[in-house]
Structure formats: C-alpha cells, structure tokens
C-alpha cells in the first residue's frame, strides 16, 4: 500500500493527498502534519516507513467538503485519490495476475485536484462572489490575461503592458493565478501555480477552436497571440486539475482595457469597492448598493463596479432600464419576487458540465428555465420597454423542449445524491415503473408475510427487518427463538444478538431477491436517464448560460432600481465634456453607517469644469474631507457602471482613469514604508493620468517632515493642475498650499466648515468656498480625549510657533515668487550634452566627401564619444 501511496504522492506534487480508505480520506507524512495543524484534528501514527513511524490523520468522506473548504482557505491545494475499482474487482485482477487474492490492493487514482480557483461545489463557493481563476503569459513584451469563473463558465481574455498586470489582476480579483514555469514578470499576490506545461499561442488558439467546434475564432473576437497563449495555459491547467475532464467553458469574450475605466489596485482598495479596508464585503461599496435578488445578480453587480464603462450609449441603456423599473414599483416587486425564487442556474450548469452534477442540479436547471420563461411572459406585457429590456427578453425563452423533458423526467425535488436513485418521476419510463412495482409488490408481500408468521408461530413480537449487511431477516426476542431453531420450522438461523435472534426463510429470501434485483435494475435505468438528461443539458449549455446572464442583468437593474427608490437616488447624466456637477451628493456607505445610529449625513455639492477643475480642500481633521473626496469618486464610478447615484442631480463627464490616494497609508505587508508607498502611488498618477482622468488625493505628503511634505504636495498639485490638467480633488491640512490659488488659474480653494461653540468644536461637515480659517488641531485633540494638561501645553507651543510664523512669513514665505511648474521645469545644466555634440559633428560633416572607410571610422569615433 505504501508503494501505491508514494506513487500517487509523487503525482500530487505539492498538493495534499487525500487517500481514500473505506469511509475516510487519509493523509500521511508531512501532509498529515500540515492538514492536522490547519484542521485542528488528531494526528496519529500508522506503521513505519524507513524505520520512522508514519504520521497520519483522516477525515470522513461524507463530511470532507467542510474540511476541504478550510484547507483551500488556508491556501492549500488537495489531490483526491479515489478507489477506482471494487474489492471484488481487485481480487479478480489479482487472480488473473497469479497473485493471492488476499494480497489484492484496490486500485486508486487521483481523480481531481481541488484548488481555490477551480471549485464548483455549492458548499465551497460564496453565492454572491465570482470565483475567478486567471492565467498569465508573456508574448513579445505583452502580457496575455485569461480568466475564467468555472462555476459559471465565463471566460474573458485581455492583454496589458507588464506594468499593468497588478491593476488587471486587481480588476479580476482572482482566487488563484497560473503562470508558466520560470515566470519573471511581476509576481501576483494571490496563490500562484507555476505550471510546467507550455503557454503556446498557436496551441492555445487550436484548443479554443476545438473546444467550441469552430474553424476560426474570428466569430468570437480578434484574439492576440498573448491572449491565445494565456488561454492555452489556462485550459491545460484546467485539464491537469480535472484529470482530463474540462469544466464548462463558454466562448471567450475580449475585455479591452480601452472599453472600461482603469483603476489600479491602490485605488480599488482605497475606495473600498468590493471589500472594505477590514477585508470583508461588509462596509464596501458593493454591499451598500447590492439589492439583487440572486447570487448571480450580485456577482454581475460586482463585475460592473469593478469595470465601469466608457461608452455613454451603453451606460445610458443600463440607466434607462433602471429608471424604467424604478418608476414601476409594483411590477418591480413582482419581478423581484420571481427572481428570488430562482436557483443559481449558471452554477448548476457549471457543475453538470464539469461532470459533478447531481439530480438536484438538473432540477435547478428545470426550475430556473421554467421561471425564466415566466419572467419573460410577465415582462413582455409591460408597455414601452427600453432598448436593453427588449434585447434581454428573447434571451429568457426558447428552452421549452428541454424544460418539458426535465419536468417529465424528474421528481419535484430531486436529491443531491444520485447513487440511491429515486429521482426519476413515475410515469416517465414504463419499464422503470414496472421494476418499482415489482419492488413495491415484494415489499407488500413481505409485510403480509410478517403478519402470517406472527399468526403461524404465535410470536406477536416477531418482526421482519432490513439492514445493509444482512438484507431482510426475521427477528424474534431470545425467549421465543427455540421453536424457530427447530429443523422443520422452515426458518434458518442467521445471527444471535444480545436480546434477539435473527432468521431467514425461503419465501423471505425469494421476495428479498426480487426486491434487490429489481432495485439494481431500477438504479441502472435511473443512471441511464441521468446521463441522457445531463447530455441534453450539456448540448444546450451555451443557450442556458445566455439565459442565466440575461437574468442576472435584469436582476442587477431591478436591484439598482430598488436601491435608487430606497435612497432617493438620481439618474446621472453621463456626458463627454470633462465636468463633474453634483448637487447634494452623499457617500453611500458613510450615509448608511450614520443612518444606523440615527445621524444625518450632510449632502455637499461639487462643481468641476475646465475653468475650475482642481479643488484644494482644507479644514479640520474629522471635518469630512476624505468623505467628500470619496463620495465624488464613487458617484463617478457608479454612474459609469450604470447605477443611479446618491445625489439630487449629477452630471458626470466620462472618466477614463480613476485614481484615489491617501497619504501615508500603511502597507507593511508588502515591506514598504508608509511614505514610500505614498510616493510610489503618487508617481503612478503622475505618469498615467490623462486629461480625462479623475484624481482624488487625500493628505498627500503627510508621511514625511512638514517641509518635505509641503514641498511635495505643492509640486504634485502644480503637476496635476498644469501638466496633466485633469479633474482633481485635493484634501490637505497644509495651509501653505492655499498660495497656489494665485498661480494656478483653474484651482479654487474650499474647506469643510467647523465652529467653536462655548469652547467646544462643532464639525458641520459642510463644504464652503475659500480657504479654511484655522486648523482646529487642538480642538480635535480635545474632542478625542487628550488630557487637558497636554492640550494646554500644546496651546502654549502653538502660540510660540505662530508668533515665529508672523515674524518670518512661515515656511512658505518664499514660495509666492517661485516660477510655475511648467516654467521651472526647463532650466537644464548649461553644458552641451553628448547628443548635442554628436548632432553638431554630423551637421559639419560632408557625407558625400567620405570614403566608405572614413565613414566607418567616423561612426566608431562618434560611438566612442557617446560612451565617454
Ligand atoms: P477628514 O478627512 O476631514 O478627517 P472624514 O471624511 O474622515 O474627515 O470624516 C470623519 C467622520 O465625519 C466620518 O467618519 C463621518 O462619520 C463624519 N462625516 C464625514 N462627512 C460627513 C457628512 N457629510 N455628513 C455627516 N457626517 C460626516
């Protein structure tokens, strides 16, 4: 056995090997130690290997899913080795091979690898979160990114520059990444598998063609070599993990970076789009927005928010459907009721196609498709449907034949376990009905037999029972056993228990055989029907997935409509001009949090346009600056994702890239100092932002000394204002920066208002024009509970500092005369550069007068000059 185990372990490589032994999966050696530590289960020993005791632990097969989930969450991968023959088959094989059957070892094989990115089990997946597996490849300096959610089969191909890999992965949020062996581009943070198979673009394209039965991929889109290579690597990995069986893979779609708003990882984290800074979904934007009735709807909403659109037409179509449903509360309630009853069609389909489907999954397909048709019927009645709804409705129907077949074939609520049968409905298959009738008759015969035996023997407590080991048997209490023991009694003894004795009889044996034979044949018949139904569903998979997609889109729009109605949100007007006009905007997450403690959120306006596109916002800590910055970024993001927004009115000029930065945020996990992170992130904005971008900068420069901080913040504001020219909200407590208003014509000063009233600080959370009058730092400290003695000492220090400032003009005294950024950038060292010398030399040379030899010499000389 050890030999077999070790061979399988070699195949499993780094994965934990679940080795099936009877009703348990056993783990040995280091695997056992690792798993026991994670699962907190007992570690035991079994036998010896090379003189050492073998560590062992095990989990029961029937509850393996829960243990698997914990191991996967802890970042492990698991190889499942199942018994692939019965003990009888093993014995027969041993006999054929001339070995004693007592030594026969049941054959085992790894049937599947369980990894974070390749789960399909309902119990292991979160209903409202997509589970994405991504593969990366590099072809001539371009990174191909292939991603798939195998629980639904959605496959997306994209490409990007090497430095954008992080942003691309941040958009996808994969739970596992596959890269070719020897990958030397940026290493993803997710669990990463270095695959030793090839990521070849030709082979990848061929795999995709074969998979979808087409001779060319042109019908799906124009795939680059990098995309095909990544897709090839992804499919090969899925094959490896599924041991040759591929999961559901729908025709790939291309996601062009140019079609969606770009956001890097820092921006996504800082805006808390899909997860809050604490890590969970609670407190995130998606949680505050999500009113979807189905898991598939929630997953699509998350996808929408992760990739807001850049096409005003497509955005307007989504918004039109949200408005249509918002304006029809009764119809919306009906629709959402229906949606709530929907099973997760896409995931049931995913399991069926991956060969892990159950009768229950078939039932879900039946119910889901039936409900889709009823939803279609209901919505089709509504007048004046907007364009998006008109396009979605036909995608909900067309499954009549399949739904009928499933309805006829299956019982009302089919079980998850198929090995016990009982899922095919009566009346579907006459021969199955007959087999069931045989079993039924025999069962009735056995019941009658029990009554007859009681009469005949006079033992009122005689019972006919059934168990898995003996099958049917007759049982009487000990004290009545003697009469049945007699040779001519017609009963044969089988087993003596503590209080009872068990017997058999010829007629019982006959009826029991009838039952077991009929049951065996009935099971086989059900199994055959199951395979047929699975094949029928598999054939219709593209159409079913399409219906599931359309339902999810309807659910997202209905959910957004519900949310809009609930919060009195407005339909944003998304336009091409670079403006941002928000009247009475709110922060959806902060507002909801305040509402829980019955506090009111103060709405604020924002008005950016080409003549006034950079707002410098001052005011006390805790005054609401960060909240204001973020609410505007979120409103833009939501608008372009096709959601209504928390404002009275909103006119949003399309944003190509969104940047959000918070000064000195901690990222110690990555081993960078806080200030370093701040600067790296700021550098990314300065190199990537365009005129159409939107930037929020919160206290940039705060991670270093005051002088450095002011200087950097100053230079960054100038660069954003004068070089990039994008819309920007910049919160700062450096009062010195207000002087920039004199030189930057499209910059204006704003502050969050506060008042001191009877010695107490009152934060009004209200935005007003003009610079902040003072910083209220000490008042905030007092508010926070810093002891009065410390506050008054600080006041004394502050008075002294302010006196010095008055005398000298403060640290920014000389900055008023500093030439503007654009002008300041030009002065270069006066020395002629090497390239200038080279240009002069060439200009002075008459090329026609040179011999080939002289020309070559000149070339060498110039090269040497450059190197020096
Ligand atoms: P700052 O960035 O100025 O330090 P924050 O934006 O972090 O301030 O806000 C601090 C707290 O003030 C928030 O957690 C919130 O509870 C409250 N707050 C912020 N903005 C508002 C608002 N517009 N209305 C009501 N409360 C607000």
């Amino acid at each position: 056995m050890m030999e077999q185990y070790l061979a399988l372990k070699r195949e499993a490589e780094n994965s934990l090997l679940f080795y099936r032994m009877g009703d348990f999966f056993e783990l040995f050696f280091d695997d056992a130690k690792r798993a026991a530590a994670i699962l907190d289960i007992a570690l035991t020993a079994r036998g010896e290997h090379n003189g050492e005791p073998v560590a062992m632990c095990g989990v029961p097969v029937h509850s393996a899913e829960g243990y698997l989930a914990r191991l996967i969450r802890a970042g492990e991968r698991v190889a499942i080795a199942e018994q692939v023959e019965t003990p009888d088959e093993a014995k027969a094989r041993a006999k054929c091979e001339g070995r004693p059957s007592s030594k026969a070892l049941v054959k085992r094989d790894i049937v599947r690898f369980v990894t974070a990115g390749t789960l399909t089990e309902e119990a292991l997946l979160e209903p409202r979160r997509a589970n994405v597996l991504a593969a990366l490849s590099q072809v001539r300096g371009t990174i191909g990114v292939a991603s798939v959610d195998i629980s639904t089969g959605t496959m997306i191909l994209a490409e990007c520059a090497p430095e954008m890999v992080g942003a691309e992965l941040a958009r996808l949020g994969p739970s596992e990444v596959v890269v070719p062996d020897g990958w030397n581009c940026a290493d993803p943070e997710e669990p990463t598998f270095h695959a030793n198979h090839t990521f070849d673009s030709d082979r990848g394209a061929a795999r995709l063609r074969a998979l979808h039965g087409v001779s060319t991929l042109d019908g799906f889109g124009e795939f680059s070599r990098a995309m095909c290579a990544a897709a090839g690597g992804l499919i090969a990995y899925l094959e490896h993990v599924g041991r040759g069986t591929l999961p559901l893979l729908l025709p790939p779609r291309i996601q062009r970076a140019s079609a969606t708003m770009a956001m890097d990882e820092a921006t996504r984290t800082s805006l808390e789009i899909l997860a809050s800074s604490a890590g969970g979904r609670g407190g995130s934007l998606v949680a505050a927005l999500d009113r979807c009735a189905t898991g598939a709807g929630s997953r699509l909403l998350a996808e929408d928010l992760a990739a807001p659109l850049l096409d005003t037409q497509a955005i307007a179509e989504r918004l039109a459907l949200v408005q249509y449903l918002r304006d029809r509360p009764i119809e919306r309630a009906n629709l959402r009721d229906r949606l709530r009853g929907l099973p997760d069609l896409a995931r049931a389909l995913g399991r069926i196609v991956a060969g892990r489907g159950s009768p229950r999954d078939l039932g879900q397909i039946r119910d889901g498709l039936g409900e889709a048709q009823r939803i279609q019927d209901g919505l089709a009645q509504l007048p004046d449907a907007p364009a998006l709804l008109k396009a979605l409705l036909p995608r909900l129907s067309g499954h009549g034949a399949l739904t009928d077949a499933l309805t006829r074939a299956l019982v009302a609520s089919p079980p998850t376990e198929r090995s016990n049968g009982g899922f095919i409905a009566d009346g579907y298959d006459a021969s199955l009905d007959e087999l069931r009738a045989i079993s039924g008759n025999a069962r009735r015969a056995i019941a009658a037999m029990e009554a007859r035996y009681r009469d005949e023997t006079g033992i009122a407590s005689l019972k006919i029972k059934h168990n898995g080991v003996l099958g049917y048997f007759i049982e009487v209490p000990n004290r009545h056993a003697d009469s049945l023991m007699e040779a001519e009694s017609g009963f044969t003894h089988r087993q003596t228990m503590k209080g009872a004795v068990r017997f058999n009889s010829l007629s019982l044996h006959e009826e029991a055989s009838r039952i077991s034979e009929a049951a065996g044949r009935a099971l086989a018949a059900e199994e055959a029907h199951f395979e047929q139904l699975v094949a029928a569903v598999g054939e219709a998979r593209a159409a079913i997935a399409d219906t599931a997609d359309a339902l999810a889109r309807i659910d997202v729009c209905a959910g957004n409509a519900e949310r809009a109605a609930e919060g009195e949100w407005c339909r944003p007007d998304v336009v091409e001009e670079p403006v941002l006009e928000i009247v009475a905007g709110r922060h959806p997450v902060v507002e909801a949090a305040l509402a829980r403690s019955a506090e009111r959120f103060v709405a604020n306006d924002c008005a950016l346009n080409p003549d006034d596109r950079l707002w410098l916002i001052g005011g006390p800590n805790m005054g609401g600056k960060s909240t204001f910055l973020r609410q505007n970024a979120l409103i833009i993001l939501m608008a372009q994702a096709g959601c209504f927004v928390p404002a009275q009115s909103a006119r949003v000029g399309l944003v190509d890239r969104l940047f959000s930065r918070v000064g000195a945020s901690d990222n110690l996990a990555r081993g960078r100092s806080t200030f370093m992170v701040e600067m790296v992130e700021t550098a990314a904005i300065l190199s990537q932002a365009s005129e159409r971008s939107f930037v929020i900068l919160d206290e940039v420069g705060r991670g270093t000394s005051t002088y450095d901080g002011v200087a950097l913040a100053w230079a960054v504001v100038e660069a954003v204002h004068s070089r990039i020219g994008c819309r920007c909200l910049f919160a700062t407590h450096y009062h010195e920066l207000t002087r920039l208003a004199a030189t930057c014509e499209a910059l204006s000063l704003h502050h969050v208002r506060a008042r001191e009233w009877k010695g107490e600080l009152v934060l009004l959370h209200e935005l007003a024009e003009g610079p902040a009058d003072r910083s209220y730092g000490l008042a905030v400290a007092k508010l926070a509970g810093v002891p009065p003695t410390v506050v008054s000492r600080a006041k004394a220090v502050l008075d002294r500092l302010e006196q010095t400032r008055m005398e000298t003009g403060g640290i920014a005294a000389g900055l008023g005369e500093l030439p503007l950024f654009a002008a300041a950038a030009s002065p270069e060292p006066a020395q002629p550069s090497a390239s200038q010398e080279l240009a002069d030399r060439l200009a002075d040379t008459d090329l026609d007068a040179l011999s080939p030899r002289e020309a070559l010499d000149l070339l060498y000389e110039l090269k040497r000059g450059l190197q020096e």
Side-chain angles (χ1 to χ4, degrees), residues 399-625:
H399 303 287
L402 181 62
T403 322
D404 280 352
L406 290 169
T407 308
R408 276 186 296 113
L410 297 169
V411 298
S413 27
T416 348
E417 185 53 53
R418 80 169 195 258
S419 57
N420 299 329
F423 51 85
I424 295 293
D426 288 334
Y428 181 64
D429 171 355
S431 61
L432 179 62
D433 289 347
E434 215 165 281
L435 291 168
R436 283 180 177 162
I438 295 174
S439 303
N441 289 340
R443 277 200 190 89
R444 272 190 293 281
I446 288 177
M449 200 183 293
E450 185 180 69
R452 202 176 71 231
Y453 284 159
R454 281 182 192 166
D455 268 1
E456 287 172 8
T457 59
I459 307 171
S461 50
L462 179 149
K463 283 198 181 93
I464 296 183
K465 293 184 167 175
H466 181 268
N467 72 23
V469 182
L470 293 184
Y472 282 94
F473 52 85
I474 300 149
E475 188 177 282
V476 296
N478 283 351
R479 63 198 142 82
H480 294 301
D482 288 353
S483 60
L484 272 60
M485 285 288 199
E486 282 163 22
E488 62 277 17
S489 68
F491 296 98
T492 44
H493 173 256
R494 295 195 71 183
Q495 203 176 28
T496 301
M497 313 287 294
K498 200 155 166 236
V501 183
R502 293 169 171 177
F503 297 90
N504 201 358
S505 76
L506 196 60
S507 14
L508 178 61
H509 177 73
E510 275 171 8
E511 294 299 347
S513 316
R514 221 166 285 171
I515 292 180
S516 80
E517 197 201 304
R521 283 171 52 206
L523 265 187
E526 290 207 52
E527 187 61 31
H529 289 309
F530 180 80
E531 296 298 341
Q532 260 174 12
L533 295 170
V534 162
V537 168
E539 212 132 275
R541 60 191 179 189
I544 298 174
D546 191 49
T547 296
D549 269 355
L551 284 168
R553 176 55 66 205
I554 291 175
D555 188 22
V556 167
C557 289
N560 284 339
E562 181 75 16
R563 186 68 188 85
E566 193 182 297
E568 295 182 29
W569 291 2
C570 76
R571 174 177 177 168
D573 186 12
V574 181
V575 298
E576 299 282 348
E577 305 97 88
V579 295
L580 182 68
E581 292 161 12
I582 310 291
V583 176
R586 282 117 60 200
H587 189 301
V589 180
V590 176
E591 184 179 30
L594 288 178
R596 277 194 288 278
S597 52
E599 283 175 71
R600 200 174 63 87
F601 188 92
V602 180
N604 278 305
D605 299 351
C606 181
L608 301 178
N609 58 58
D611 298 328
D612 182 12
R613 56 184 141 76
L614 198 159
W615 280 18
L616 203 61
I617 302 163
N621 256 324
M622 292 299 288
K625 298 185 293 297

Side-chain angles (χ1 to χ4, degrees), residues 184-481:
N184 54 10
C185 198
D187 233 359
E189 293 201 343
E190 294 73 18
T192 302
F193 184 78
H194 291 258
N196 54 18
H197 55 251
T198 50
F199 284 56
D200 179 88
S201 61
D202 290 336
R203 217 180 296 170
R207 290 304 322 261
L208 284 174
R209 285 195 301 268
L211 198 61
H212 300 293
V214 291
S215 56
T216 160
L217 295 174
D218 294 350
F220 301 141
E222 248 179 67
F223 302 112
S224 70
R225 293 196 46 195
M227 290 178 189
C228 290
L234 186 79
I235 296 172
Y237 178 71
L238 288 172
E239 235 160 25
H240 159 74
V241 167
R243 305 292 282 173
T245 329
L246 272 182
L248 170 61
L249 292 175
L250 297 170
R253 276 188 285 134
I254 296 186
Q255 180 120 50
R256 296 239 168 263
S258 55
T260 59
M261 180 199 278
M263 287 181 274
D264 53 24
E265 196 183 344
T267 300
R268 289 172 197 275
T269 318
S270 129
L271 290 178
E272 303 180 289
I273 299 171
L274 301 185
S276 72
S277 52
R281 195 172 190 263
S284 67
L285 174 69
V286 69
L289 237 73
D290 188 357
R291 294 294 182 272
C292 291
T294 68
S298 296
R299 299 196 294 269
L300 182 61
L301 175 64
E303 217 177 281
D304 286 356
L305 294 175
L309 304 177
L310 295 180
D311 174 357
T312 44
Q313 172 78 22
I315 296 169
E317 281 187 8
R318 284 187 192 172
L319 289 170
L321 180 50
V322 177
Q323 167 149 25
Y324 183 78
L325 292 168
R326 192 206 53 180
D327 296 345
R328 291 172 174 71
I330 296 173
E331 290 82 352
R332 184 175 75 239
N334 287 340
L335 169 64
R336 281 164 44 80
D337 266 350
R338 285 214 169 282
L339 288 168
R340 238 174 255 123
L342 270 180
D344 203 324
L345 256 182
R347 286 194 166 168
L349 180 67
R351 286 190 291 275
I352 291 173
V353 177
R356 296 175 210 150
S358 70
R360 180 161 178 268
D361 291 322
L362 288 176
Q364 294 199 338
I365 300 282
R366 169 199 62 192
D367 300 345
L369 293 180
E371 201 56 46
Q373 180 64 54
R374 284 185 286 277
I375 289 174
Q376 201 255 13
D377 294 344
L379 290 175
Q381 312 269 320
L382 302 182
D384 312 321
L388 180 55
L389 187 56
K390 279 197 190 126
L392 288 168
L393 284 186
R395 296 169 56 191
L396 301 185
S397 51
H399 303 287
L402 181 62
T403 322
D404 280 352
L406 290 169
T407 308
R408 276 186 296 113
L410 297 169
V411 298
S413 27
T416 348
E417 185 53 53
R418 80 169 195 258
S419 57
N420 299 329
F423 51 85
I424 295 293
D426 288 334
Y428 181 64
D429 171 355
S431 61
L432 179 62
D433 289 347
E434 215 165 281
L435 291 168
R436 283 180 177 162
I438 295 174
S439 303
N441 289 340
R443 277 200 190 89
R444 272 190 293 281
I446 288 177
M449 200 183 293
E450 185 180 69
R452 202 176 71 231
Y453 284 159
R454 281 182 192 166
D455 268 1
E456 287 172 8
T457 59
I459 307 171
S461 50
L462 179 149
K463 283 198 181 93
I464 296 183
K465 293 184 167 175
H466 181 268
N467 72 23
V469 182
L470 293 184
Y472 282 94
F473 52 85
I474 300 149
E475 188 177 282
V476 296
N478 283 351
R479 63 198 142 82
H480 294 301

Side-chain angles (χ1 to χ4, degrees), residues 684-766:
I685 297 186
L686 297 178
S687 66
Q688 292 166 11
S690 81
E691 208 177 343
R692 304 213 116 258
S693 304
F694 185 81
V695 176
I696 61 174
L697 290 160
D698 194 356
E699 305 274 11
V700 160
R702 117 181 127 178
T704 182
S705 75
T706 307
Y707 276 73
D708 283 2
V710 171
L712 280 166
W714 184 286
V716 170
V717 172
E718 277 186 346
V720 170
H721 174 274
S722 307
R723 194 159 55 78
I724 301 171
C726 62
R727 286 158 287 174
C728 172
L729 299 176
F730 194 109
T732 182
H733 63 268
Y734 292 132
H735 198 70
E736 294 77 9
L737 297 188
T738 52
R739 295 185 181 209
L740 280 163
T743 47
C744 300
E745 77 288 347
L747 176 151
S748 60
L749 302 176
H750 303 259
H751 66 279
V752 284
R753 291 183 58 211
R755 238 189 258 140
E756 274 200 75
W757 193 67
K758 291 191 184 160
E760 295 295 323
L761 178 70
V762 184
L763 299 167
L764 300 171
H765 303 302
E766 202 180 283

